[in-house]
Amino acid sequence: MAPATSLFVENPIETPSQASKRISVKALVESPGLASIPSNYSYSSNPNESAASNPDEDTFPIIDFSLLTSADPHQRSKIIQDLDRACREWGFFMLVNHGVSKSLMKEVLEGCNEFFNLPMEEKMEFEGKDIWQPIRFGTGIDVKVEKFFSWRDFLKCYVHPQFNFPNKPKGFSDVAQEYTKRSREVIKELLRGVSESLGFEGSYIEKAMNLDSGLQIFAANLYPVCPQPETAMGIPAHTDHGLLTLLIENDIGGLQIQHNGEWFNVHPLPNSFLVNTGDHLEILSNGRYKSIKHRAVVNNKATRISIASPLGPSLDTVVSPAPELMERENRPAAFLPMKYKEYMDRQLEGKPVSDSVRLPVA
């Protein structure tokens, strides 16, 4: 078993002979006398990029899930139009009245906190570098091309079509299994609405993407207090693979999204989900819906925990723009087809993927 303070990661900006042992960010923060961050964690922002601002309260989309499941056809028709607008204009929205209990959301966040507070040697049982390892604890960012270390620890589990999860702390697995089941149900219902907003029958995306075998991930992130938050980054700007991602957090804040070239802070409503469209919904919709860049910043006051639950197609599904949509809109394909597993392999290895499947505009 590895020593309690070791988590071996090679620094991508060092030569192999310079590669050093790196402990988790949590262990680093808890080390005596930490007043500044190590240079390997220093993040250089774009000097021409303005600071993030707060969007107007009445502009950020809010979707009422209860209206999406309403028996009133007028209400449902209106909320599907709102869903279409949110996916087109923002690629993010807050989901309220979703039916997942406040207590379950609280329990799963508390379980994550307990996991990250386990002794290092117990968490190290799940340490690994294989991106397809079904349960993986790690630190920083799990790609090989970043020029700095991210200020986060993570737990990443593949929870559907097979449920994989740590066996500690006690009871955490049961709570997470119920949470991932309920969140998957919410995403599938949202995708019924998205199917209809694209002019299809409600089951179109579920069938076309083989969602009964769709890949769902449970990704918990720990962002410890940072002594120099202005020079560190929790997760750099990125888009998500898959169709839709649900996100919850412990009310600390730190998510920023890019909208019309500007960065905005996101402050989720209590007990809401933050939902964002993924790369494969952009591909399937032939660019109608956008997969938007987002990032996580850190602070020097409180530890943030977030849980992202993306749902994607089955690994064997080849994703391409919907032929019926291209024919109806008389538009050529904006993306090349690619099997979902191949896309995942490339992205998780740190290779730029979305641009490689995007076709030039005629």
Side-chain angles (χ1 to χ4, degrees), residues 340-354:
Y340 187 45
K341 186 178 187 304
E342 182 182 351
Y343 193 100
M344 289 276 291
D345 280 332
R346 292 190 188 185
Q347 189 186 59
L348 293 174
E349 288 172 1
K351 300 173 183 175
V353 194
S354 56

Side-chain angles (χ1 to χ4, degrees), residues 44-334:
S44 299
S45 59
N46 184 341
N48 299 319
E49 194 171 77
S50 60
S53 59
N54 296 320
D56 296 334
E57 289 184 5
D58 57 348
T59 61
F60 193 84
I62 299 174
I63 299 295
D64 189 331
F65 187 80
S66 67
L67 300 183
L68 192 62
T69 56
S70 170
D72 184 327
H74 176 73
Q75 282 189 329
R76 194 167 188 281
S77 174
K78 183 181 182 307
I79 206 67
I80 286 175
Q81 291 176 28
D82 291 344
L83 187 60
D84 174 70
R85 191 177 305 112
C87 292
R88 276 190 294 111
E89 296 179 2
W90 282 85
F92 263 86
F93 55 89
M94 283 185 223
L95 188 69
V96 298
N97 298 325
H98 45 69
V100 180
S101 71
K102 176 182 177 180
S103 60
L104 180 59
M105 296 168 76
K106 181 181 178 183
E107 280 185 84
V108 75
L109 283 165
E110 288 175 347
C112 290
N113 187 51
E114 290 178 23
F115 175 85
F116 287 119
N117 279 329
L118 288 172
M120 181 63 81
E121 62 268 19
E122 295 189 39
K123 290 182 288 190
M124 287 295 293
E125 294 175 23
F126 307 105
E127 186 259 351
K129 296 184 178 67
D130 180 2
I131 59 173
W132 290 108
Q133 186 171 315
I135 304 170
R136 191 156 58 101
F137 166 71
T139 190
I141 189 162
D142 49 343
V143 299
K144 301 173 184 176
V145 297
E146 295 298 340
K147 301 262 188 284
F148 68 100
F149 290 141
S150 298
W151 197 262
R152 70 148 185 174
D153 296 338
F154 66 85
L155 170 66
K156 188 169 290 185
C157 306
Y158 295 110
V159 292
H160 192 267
Q162 289 184 316
F163 182 77
N164 304 278
F165 215 77
N167 56 5
K168 58 184 73 173
K170 185 178 180 181
F172 185 28
S173 178
D174 292 339
V175 170
Q177 187 165 24
E178 178 63 19
Y179 174 78
T180 55
K181 175 188 173 187
R182 293 289 293 115
S183 59
R184 186 166 62 253
E185 291 169 351
V186 169
I187 293 176
K188 289 175 77 171
E189 189 62 44
L190 283 172
L191 289 173
R192 289 185 65 83
V194 170
S195 290
E196 292 181 41
S197 72
L198 290 171
F200 300 120
E201 63 176 22
S203 61
Y204 179 85
I205 292 178
E206 183 172 355
K207 293 176 180 177
M209 298 291 100
N210 301 306
L211 290 189
D212 284 345
S213 301
L215 182 70
Q216 184 181 11
I217 300 172
F218 179 99
N221 299 296
L222 180 84
Y223 305 100
V225 171
C226 180
Q228 294 176 293
E230 69 283 355
T231 61
M233 180 62 71
I235 299 181
H238 65 285
T239 62
D240 289 352
H241 58 78
L243 299 165
L244 290 176
T245 297
L246 298 188
L247 180 84
I248 61 173
E249 60 170 38
N250 62 339
D251 301 325
I252 299 302
L255 177 68
Q256 296 180 342
I257 68 171
Q258 195 174 59
H259 176 64
N260 293 336
E262 296 183 23
W263 286 100
F264 289 92
N265 298 305
V266 180
H267 305 288
L269 294 168
N271 308 316
S272 67
F273 282 115
L274 281 171
V275 185
N276 65 283
T277 56
D279 296 347
H280 290 82
L281 189 54
E282 179 172 6
I283 293 169
L284 183 70
S285 69
N286 203 29
R288 177 181 177 87
Y289 298 151
K290 307 300 182 185
S291 184
I292 301 299
K293 283 186 177 180
H294 51 287
R295 65 191 182 190
V297 297
V298 294
N299 70 83
N300 59 4
K301 295 180 176 63
T303 294
R304 178 175 181 247
I305 294 176
S306 70
I307 303 172
S309 300
L311 179 65
S314 72
L315 289 175
D316 291 332
T317 297
V318 175
V319 185
S320 62
E324 302 91 336
L325 193 62
M326 291 189 293
E327 183 178 350
R328 188 192 322 136
E329 297 183 349
N330 193 28
R331 286 198 304 131

